Amino acid sequence: MIPQSLQDIHEIPVEFVDLVKESVINTFASIIGSEPSYIKPNGESKSLNGIIGNIAVFNQHHTLSLMIVIPKETALKLSEVFIGMEIPFESNDMGDLVGEISNILAGDVAANIETVGFRGQSSLPTATRGSDLTLFMPNKPPTEKMKFSGPTGDFWVNMALSESR
Amino acid sequence: MGKVKALVVDDSKIMRSAVKRALDQLMLAEFEYVEAMDGQDALDKFDDEIEIMFVDWNMPNMTGVEFSRAIRDKGDTEHIPIIMVTAEKSMGKVDKALNEGGANEYITKPFTADKMHQTISRYFDDDGNIIGEETEEEEEKSFFSSILKS
């Protein structure tokens, strides 16, 4: 259970992190047919040519923001697996696809974290695409960065826990 | 094979295509599709020729549950199967869609054609026509006719 005020919380509770990790693995396994592996982050932070899916699971007290960071090569391979053909990276369909993957992940995360008392609903997803993207995580709320690698390539899931406004 | 008019409601074009592709693979019927990008759009496109609906939950303007409720509130629509196709998977959400929304079935994304078949095949007869939900009167009739037959 998370305290209503996050003033003294500097890290996302480990049970949350584990449940989100489990959701990422399950969601991508159901999309790509095999489980991606979790790779312990080594603190590397380089700019990205790719697309980021943004979505949140929230209730009146807290918001868990999820950012699915997908390099261009991974996104192209994901599109091939998801819809049976590679879709152009610059197309609206690519944004649509990454938004839908974010939506599916958030649905699983919401169901999973409900088991530890966080009853929330998903926001609508958005997607941000570009080259030379650097993702700065906010300083104040507790955050967590996770890296995964699977048959369609590497990707990251970053999350931040904040008080709902 | 009968031609069935299906309303596919999802704010994601990719997902609308995935639903249509799965339905075409199943060969349960020949489908004619009407697509809508949210609940309000679907409400505008709904007419009395629609025979089955595939509805996402989380959409802008009007959610799938609000749309389903609005359709059921029109009256004389109980015979139209509403299949929720959604990423929402907690038990509370399933319960809400089926009870508050009046949906008949619930499929979680990502789905396979097999899963779709398991869920919706009972709504089609062998000629590819929609069977629909039985009204209480029809249920009573078929109950008595089965007793008479036995």
Side-chain angles (χ1 to χ4, degrees), chain A residues 31-32 77-85 97 100-101 104, chain B residues 14-15 18 21 109-110:
Chain A
I31 292 171
I32 60 185
K77 285 184 192 155
L78 270 174
S79 73
E80 214 174 325
V81 172
F82 199 93
I83 61 165
M85 56 184 265
L97 172 73
E100 198 50 44
I101 290 172
I104 294 170
Chain B
I14 295 270
M15 282 315 299
R21 200 170 56 243
K109 296 175 186 174

XYZ file of all heavy atoms in Angstrom, chain A residues 31-32 77-85 97 100-101 104, chain B residues 14-15 18 21 109-110:
167
model
N 2.368 -10.621 -27.317
C 2.403 -9.946 -28.624
C 3.417 -10.610 -29.565
O 3.120 -10.875 -30.722
C 2.740 -8.440 -28.456
C 1.585 -7.713 -27.742
C 3.007 -7.782 -29.806
C 1.909 -6.287 -27.331
N 4.622 -10.884 -29.021
C 5.675 -11.368 -29.926
C 5.889 -12.879 -29.854
O 6.652 -13.444 -30.632
C 7.024 -10.631 -29.710
C 7.546 -10.822 -28.280
C 6.902 -9.185 -30.040
C 8.811 -10.023 -27.976
N 10.242 -4.060 -36.255
C 10.057 -5.509 -36.097
C 8.754 -5.811 -35.348
O 8.068 -6.785 -35.644
C 11.253 -6.120 -35.361
C 12.477 -6.238 -36.245
C 13.603 -6.935 -35.506
C 14.901 -6.794 -36.287
N 16.085 -6.897 -35.434
N 8.436 -4.974 -34.362
C 7.180 -5.166 -33.613
C 5.974 -5.056 -34.543
O 5.014 -5.811 -34.427
C 7.047 -4.105 -32.520
C 7.627 -4.437 -31.144
C 7.544 -3.212 -30.232
C 6.891 -5.608 -30.502
N 6.050 -4.089 -35.467
C 4.912 -3.896 -36.379
C 4.716 -5.132 -37.254
O 3.595 -5.539 -37.528
C 5.111 -2.645 -37.242
O 6.098 -2.858 -38.226
N 5.840 -5.734 -37.630
C 5.770 -6.937 -38.468
C 5.084 -8.075 -37.711
O 4.255 -8.793 -38.261
C 7.193 -7.339 -38.852
C 7.278 -7.947 -40.219
C 8.729 -8.190 -40.627
O 9.595 -7.375 -40.262
O 8.969 -9.202 -41.286
N 5.438 -8.194 -36.433
C 4.855 -9.266 -35.622
C 3.386 -8.969 -35.314
O 2.525 -9.848 -35.372
C 5.652 -9.419 -34.298
C 4.976 -10.386 -33.350
C 7.065 -9.887 -34.590
N 3.094 -7.721 -34.998
C 1.755 -7.360 -34.532
C 0.727 -7.381 -35.655
O -0.380 -7.851 -35.473
C 1.794 -5.968 -33.889
C 0.624 -5.679 -32.980
C 0.709 -5.933 -31.612
C -0.547 -5.133 -33.466
C -0.353 -5.663 -30.769
C -1.628 -4.867 -32.635
C -1.522 -5.130 -31.274
N 1.077 -6.854 -36.818
C 0.062 -6.791 -37.870
C 0.436 -7.579 -39.129
O -0.275 -7.528 -40.120
C -0.286 -5.337 -38.256
C 0.933 -4.605 -38.802
C -0.877 -4.570 -37.112
C 0.533 -3.335 -39.518
N 1.553 -8.288 -39.067
C 1.894 -9.164 -40.189
C 2.655 -8.485 -41.304
O 2.969 -9.105 -42.309
N 2.936 -7.213 -41.172
C 3.748 -6.523 -42.187
C 4.435 -5.320 -41.531
O 3.945 -4.776 -40.542
C 2.869 -6.040 -43.345
C 1.725 -5.141 -42.900
S 0.639 -4.673 -44.228
C 1.321 -3.115 -44.679
N 0.088 2.038 -33.462
C 0.553 0.742 -32.964
C 1.191 0.874 -31.576
O 0.867 0.113 -30.661
C 1.568 0.141 -33.945
C 2.280 -1.120 -33.458
C 1.357 -2.321 -33.478
C 3.502 -1.413 -34.315
N -1.307 1.538 -28.978
C -2.079 0.340 -28.645
C -1.264 -0.604 -27.767
O -1.798 -1.190 -26.821
C -2.515 -0.367 -29.943
C -3.650 -1.337 -29.765
C -4.863 -0.777 -29.013
O -5.283 0.361 -29.291
O -5.390 -1.475 -28.134
N 0.029 -0.730 -28.048
C 0.881 -1.571 -27.192
C 0.925 -0.979 -25.775
O 0.836 -1.698 -24.781
C 2.302 -1.702 -27.795
C 2.239 -2.562 -29.070
C 3.276 -2.308 -26.795
C 3.537 -2.618 -29.871
N -2.323 -1.827 -24.050
C -2.391 -3.232 -23.615
C -1.528 -3.431 -22.370
O -1.939 -4.085 -21.408
C -1.939 -4.179 -24.760
C -2.940 -4.106 -25.920
C -1.808 -5.611 -24.269
C -2.483 -4.805 -27.202
N -5.300 0.338 -36.242
C -4.591 -0.946 -36.242
C -5.456 -2.031 -35.583
O -5.540 -3.153 -36.073
C -3.257 -0.805 -35.450
C -2.310 0.159 -36.153
C -2.630 -2.146 -35.150
C -1.377 -0.449 -37.146
N -6.094 -1.683 -34.471
C -6.907 -2.681 -33.780
C -8.187 -2.987 -34.543
O -8.650 -4.129 -34.552
C -7.237 -2.222 -32.343
C -6.124 -2.388 -31.346
S -5.235 -3.968 -31.389
C -6.505 -5.155 -31.018
N -7.160 -5.402 -36.968
C -6.884 -6.711 -36.354
C -8.187 -7.463 -36.095
O -8.260 -8.680 -36.326
C -6.106 -6.522 -35.051
N -9.516 -8.602 -39.465
C -8.694 -9.693 -40.010
C -9.038 -11.015 -39.316
O -9.202 -12.044 -39.960
C -7.206 -9.354 -39.857
C -6.325 -10.145 -40.790
C -4.888 -9.668 -40.834
N -4.255 -9.640 -39.537
C -3.804 -8.550 -38.938
N -3.914 -7.378 -39.522
N -3.241 -8.597 -37.751
N -7.251 -7.866 -25.081
C -6.198 -7.680 -26.091
C -4.853 -8.056 -25.474
O -4.652 -7.787 -24.292
C -6.115 -6.210 -26.509
C -7.337 -5.658 -27.195
C -7.107 -4.164 -27.418
C -8.311 -3.469 -27.976
N -8.129 -2.005 -28.049
N -3.918 -8.567 -26.212
C -4.047 -8.963 -27.608
C -4.776 -10.301 -27.690
O -4.616 -11.142 -26.808
C -2.590 -9.106 -28.055
C -1.829 -9.451 -26.821
C -2.561 -8.814 -25.690
